[in-house]
């Protein structure tokens, strides 16, 4: 007799058991992963402590890891290649206190983090991976796109350090901005000739990657969102809602330089959403004009006295030159230090 067809209580039991089983599998995997990461850290610790034990261990010299790899492989099989032992050793050096590393990170995440030589960058990507629950592929993509470097631009030294230590904390509209936004995932060949409608369609076709680039908290509402004023119809290219800031985020795309009319139109959209779309509990909407080119002086004058929630940001279709971004960041950090020195002499 098939009791599930006529017994809703049985269906409830079946669902409860299935959910408990899935939850148990996830917890078991996390527990195994956590122990595995801890074990690799301990192996690295033993290697480093052996190396630091003094002259009596010097006879092993550079051959230590090769010898260990051979002997451990004989004892335990795969998993003890020289490259893996190098990673274990590097892991301990980078994280001398294992407890500071989140148990949510897999060994594959740790390997990606260890490839980052700069301590500030590594700490940021570690925190952000946990905050946004990035997969390995997502972590790799954000590293390649220089997310930390892009978020660090236009910040002072104190803010950069806070970004590294805490990840991207979103408390105000400027916290969600990037400079520039990077859409390399669209795979548009260079040189490119593309219309705004084509760019919009491609972003919507690659919505998962687009949301990853926008960052945590964005939910998609719609494209070509109709705004009607006095029987005249306008359309916002893309509309999102930000769960953390509790507000609409309106995005207009421009393939050329932003004009003052574009800024005025976005300001009109913001007024419309604030008065016609917001409900109780919603905060004022944010407007972002994404442009290939940006005339800073024009934007400054065109937004004079205007809504502080309106931003003009640049985008690019290819991965940025991370070395150039890194030099800019170094100049910011060095500049702050020089200012501190000068002020200290006064």
């Amino acid at each position: 007799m098939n009791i599930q067809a006529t017994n809703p209580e049985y269906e409830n039991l079946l669902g409860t058991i299935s959910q408990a089983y899935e939850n148990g599998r996830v917890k078991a995997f996390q527990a195994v992963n956590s122990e595995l990461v801890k074990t690799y850290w301990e192996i690295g610790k033993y290697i480093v402590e052996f190396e630091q034990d003094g002259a009596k261990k010097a006879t092993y010299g550079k051959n230590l890891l090769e010898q260990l790899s051979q002997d451990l492989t004989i004892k335990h099989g795969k998993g003890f290649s020289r490259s893996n032992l190098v990673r274990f050793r590097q892991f301990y050096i980078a994280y001398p206190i294992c407890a500071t590393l989140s148990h949510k990170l897999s060994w594959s995440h740790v390997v990606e983090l260890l490839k980052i030589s700069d301590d500030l960058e590594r700490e940021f990507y570690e925190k952000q991976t946990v905050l946004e629950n990035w997969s390995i592929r997502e972590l790799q993509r954000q590293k390649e796109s220089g997310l930390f470097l892009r978020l660090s631009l236009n910040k002072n030294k104190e803010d950069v350090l806070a970004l590294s230590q805490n990840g991207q904390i979103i408390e105000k509209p400027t916290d969600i901005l990037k400079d520039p936004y990077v859409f390399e995932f669209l795979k548009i060949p260079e040189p490119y000739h593309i219309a705004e409608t084509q760019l919009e369609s491609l972003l919507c076709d690659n919505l998962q990657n687009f949301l990853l680039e926008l960052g945590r908290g964005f939910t998609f509402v719609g494209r070509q969102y109709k705004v009607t004023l006095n029987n005249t119809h306008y359309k916002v290219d893309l509309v999102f809602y930000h769960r953390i800031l509790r507000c609409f985020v309106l995005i207009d795309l421009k393939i050329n330089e932003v004009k003052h009319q574009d800024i005025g139109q976005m300001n009109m959209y913001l007024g419309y959403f604030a008065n016609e779309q917001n409900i109780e509990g919603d905060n004022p909407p944010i407007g972002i004009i994404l442009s290939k080119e940006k005339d800073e002086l024009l934007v400054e004058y065109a937004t004079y006295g205007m809504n502080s929630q309106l931003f003009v940001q640049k985008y690019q279709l290819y991965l940025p030159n991370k070395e150039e971004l890194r030099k800019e960041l170094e100049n910011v950090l060095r500049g702050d230090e020089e200012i501190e020195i000068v002020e200290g002499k006064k």
Side-chain angles (χ1 to χ4, degrees), residues 7 18 173 178:
N7 192 334
S18 296
K178 294 183 174 66

Side-chain angles (χ1 to χ4, degrees), residues 219-232:
T219 56
F220 182 64
V221 175
R223 60 185 294 193
Q224 292 298 300
Y225 197 100
K226 185 182 290 187
V227 171
T228 302
L229 297 171
N230 293 328
N231 293 323
T232 301

Side-chain angles (χ1 to χ4, degrees), residues 7-189:
N7 192 334
E9 292 182 356
Y10 174 80
E11 284 290 337
N12 184 57
L13 173 64
L14 184 64
T16 300
I17 292 175
S18 296
Q19 188 62 53
Y21 176 69
E22 289 300 325
N23 291 342
R25 288 183 62 186
V26 170
K27 290 179 180 178
F29 175 79
Q30 290 175 340
V32 170
N33 170 73
S34 180
E35 284 301 315
L36 190 64
V37 170
K38 182 180 177 182
T39 299
Y40 291 161
W41 178 87
E42 288 177 343
I43 293 172
K45 176 175 179 286
Y46 299 148
I47 292 173
V48 171
E49 288 179 345
F50 185 91
E51 291 173 328
Q52 293 175 343
D53 196 30
K56 64 180 181 180
K57 304 290 176 64
T59 53
Y60 289 91
K62 296 180 180 179
N63 296 323
L64 174 62
L65 296 184
E66 285 85 348
Q67 188 64 53
L68 274 175
S69 176
Q70 293 174 18
D71 294 337
L72 288 170
T73 299
I74 292 172
K75 277 180 169 289
H76 304 289
K78 295 181 180 179
F80 292 99
S81 65
R82 184 184 183 280
S83 59
N84 278 347
L85 294 178
V86 169
R87 285 294 184 209
F88 300 159
R89 180 180 180 277
Q90 185 184 6
F91 182 24
Y92 173 73
I93 292 173
Y95 295 93
I97 303 175
C98 187
T100 62
L101 190 71
S102 171
H103 69 278
K104 295 181 180 180
L105 295 175
S106 69
W107 174 244
S108 296
H109 283 110
V110 172
V111 170
E112 286 300 321
L113 292 171
L114 292 177
K115 295 176 184 177
I116 305 171
S117 58
D118 183 84
D119 292 339
L120 288 179
E121 284 188 57
R122 187 190 314 113
E123 189 171 8
F124 165 79
Y125 286 112
E126 176 199 333
K127 296 293 190 299
Q128 205 65 20
T129 298
V130 175
L131 280 173
E132 301 200 28
N133 195 29
W134 283 340
S135 66
I136 303 302
R137 185 186 65 81
E138 289 168 341
L139 171 58
Q140 291 171 335
R141 190 264 163 184
Q142 297 292 24
K143 285 171 51 186
E144 287 300 311
S145 70
L147 177 62
F148 172 71
L149 300 172
R150 289 184 287 139
L151 290 174
S152 297
L153 294 181
N154 303 318
K155 295 183 183 295
N156 58 34
K157 180 180 179 181
E158 182 178 332
D159 289 339
V160 170
L161 293 176
L163 178 66
S164 172
Q165 293 166 3
N166 304 315
Q168 186 185 17
I169 303 302
I170 299 173
E171 299 176 331
K172 56 187 183 299
T174 52
D175 292 335
I176 66 174
L177 301 179
K178 294 183 174 66
D179 185 19
Y181 288 82
V182 177
F183 301 148
E184 94 294 342
F185 53 84
L186 299 180
K187 302 186 186 308
I188 297 174

